[in-house]
Each structure stands twice: as structure tokens, then as C-alpha cells.
């Protein structure tokens, strides 16, 4: 999994290496359908314009500050809205 970044490995600090190794283990533990879903999300992210990605990053930053109850309420509202349209 980490073969594509092998040339960069010497430049990484110990924390960076540990993070990448943990991510690689998590990736390998995923079922094939979960990997496929993550690949689709990554491709969709890559297809976005830089301004769209910046907007999504800002929204994610705001989302992190919400409580779990607020997140659940927003997800439910979005689900209901999608069902109506």
C-alpha cells in the first residue's frame, strides 16, 4: 500500500511514518466494497474545482465543532430534505 510513497519515506519524521503505517493497516483491513466507496469519494474530491474543495474544507472545520446531537439532527434534516426532492 505504501509503495507509491517509498521515495519520500526518508524525508518523513517518525510521527508521519507511524500515521501512514496506521492508515495502510486500516486500508488493508477494509472490505472490498468499503475500499471501492473510498476510491469513489477520492475521485469525486479530485474532480472538484479548488474553490469547491476549499469550501468543503471550511464546512468540515465548522462541522467538527458541532455536538453529536447537532450533527445527528442535521443529518436527519438532510435525509428528509432529500426524500422530499
Amino acid at each position: 500500500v505504501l509503495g507509491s510513497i517509498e521515495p519520500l519515506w526518508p524525508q518523513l519524521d517518525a510521527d508521519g511514518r507511524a500515521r501512514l503505517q496506521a492508515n495502510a493497516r486500516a486500508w488493508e483491513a477494509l472490505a472490498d466494497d468499503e475500499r471501492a466507496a473510498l476510491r469513489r469519494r477520492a475521485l469525486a474530491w479530485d474532480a472538484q474545482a479548488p474553490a469547491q474543495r476549499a469550501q468543503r474544507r471550511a464546512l468540515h472545520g465548522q462541522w467538527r465543532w458541532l455536538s453529536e446531537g447537532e450533527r445527528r439532527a442535521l443529518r436527519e434534516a438532510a435525509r428528509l430534505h432529500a426524500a422530499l426532492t
Side-chain angles (χ1 to χ4, degrees), residues 17-46:
R17 289 179 189 160
R19 246 188 337 271
L20 287 170
Q21 288 170 329
N23 285 339
R25 284 190 301 275
W27 175 260
E28 291 169 351
L30 291 174
D32 289 342
D33 60 331
E34 292 172 317
R35 287 184 190 180
L38 282 173
R39 284 188 183 109
R40 284 191 301 276
R41 288 178 61 192
L43 288 171
W45 178 264
D46 189 53

Side-chain angles (χ1 to χ4, degrees), residues 11 16 36 65 69 78-79:
Q11 300 169 23
W65 294 105
R79 187 189 65 76

